[in-house]
Structures are given as C-alpha cells and as structure tokens.
C-alpha cells in the first residue's frame, strides 16, 4: 500500500527467503528506489500472510486478519503509528484471509476473502476513529 502522497510503498509480514513467516515492516521509497525498515518501539503483531492493510489519517497503518504459521485464520486488528513507531492491538473482527481493507470517509471496509470456515466472507464496515 502507498503512503505519503504515493511516494512510499509499505509491506508488512509475508514469507521470507527461507519460507519463515515474518512480522517485519518494510518501506520502499519509489523516488529514491530504496528499501528501509522503520523502527518499531513495541512488539509487532504475530507473523502472518494473506492479510490486509491500509493507512488511516495518513499516520496509522492498520493490519487485519491473515493466517499464522499453523494456518489458522486470524481475527486480530493491529495498528502501527508511523509518528511514534509503536504497534498496538486494537481489537478483532471476523476472521478473514485473502481480503482487502480500505478506508473511505473515516470508515474502514473489509471486502472479499474467506472466513475461517473457508467460505467467501461478506463485506464488513468498521467504524474508525482518526
């Protein structure tokens, strides 16, 4: 996902070169064509893949759902504050994998993907306070 006027691309989690599940956060500066790893002053969410993320209020990176190393579908929602470099667990939603998370007009929407029952999941609107 892009942030900062579209000049950076942020990636959280996924799988590393040795196939281990990651809880790392990386930023690619498209103007400089360079990768960096932002500082995290608190513990990040558990490693995951097939999750969704979006920015809220040009400051908060929201990470939702995905699967852990055991293949369990996660329902957790965590936020990384780019100003304070802190992660915070902010709650949960329906367990979801391979979905999209978007923010429109102060409301985040979880779209698509599958639930923990492996069936297509219905869209969910989450109130987001910025």
């Amino acid at each position: 996902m892009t942030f900062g006027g579209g000049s950076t691309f942020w990636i959280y989690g996924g799988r590393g070169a040795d196939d281990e599940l990651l809880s790392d956060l990386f930023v690619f500066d498209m103007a400089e064509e360079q990768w960096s790893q932002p500082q995290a002053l608190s513990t990040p969410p558990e490693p995951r893949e097939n999750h969704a993320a979006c920015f809220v209020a040009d400051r908060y990176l929201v990470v939702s759902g995905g699967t852990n190393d055991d293949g369990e579908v996660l329902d957790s929602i965590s936020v990384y504050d780019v100003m304070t470099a802190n992660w915070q667990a902010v709650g949960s939603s329906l367990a979801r994998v391979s979905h999209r998370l978007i923010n429109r007009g102060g409301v985040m929407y979880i779209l698509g993907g599958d639930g923990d029952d492996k069936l297509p999941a219905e869209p969910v609107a989450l109130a987001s306070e910025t």
Side-chain angles (χ1 to χ4, degrees):
M1 84 231 51
T2 60
F3 171 72
S7 63
T8 59
F9 185 83
W10 292 63
I11 296 176
Y12 173 77
R15 291 216 174 252
D18 60 358
D19 203 37
E20 79 176 279
L21 208 51
L22 303 174
S23 62
D24 299 340
L25 182 61
F26 291 97
V27 178
F28 183 72
D29 184 317
M30 290 182 267
E32 299 293 323
E33 297 184 4
Q34 286 187 331
W35 286 100
S36 63
Q37 191 168 13
Q39 182 178 24
L41 300 176
S42 58
T43 305
E46 75 177 285
R48 64 189 65 210
E49 64 183 344
N50 300 315
H51 55 284
C54 76
F55 273 97
V56 175
D58 290 334
R59 179 177 175 172
Y60 304 103
L61 173 64
V62 180
V63 175
S64 165
T67 55
N68 65 16
D69 221 9
D70 295 326
E72 298 171 315
V73 179
L74 304 172
D75 66 356
S76 63
I77 300 174
S78 296
V79 175
Y80 177 76
D81 184 333
V82 300
M83 303 300 246
T84 66
N86 281 300
W87 282 101
Q88 180 179 357
V90 295
S92 63
S93 180
L94 300 173
R96 182 98 37 140
V97 63
S98 300
H99 55 296
R100 300 295 174 260
L101 182 64
I102 62 169
N103 177 32
R104 292 292 179 255
V107 177
M108 287 188 303
Y109 295 91
I110 300 176
L111 304 170
D114 295 331
D116 58 357
D117 56 5
K118 309 293 187 229
L119 297 174
E122 294 294 320
V124 174
L126 302 172
S128 63
E129 298 179 23
T130 56

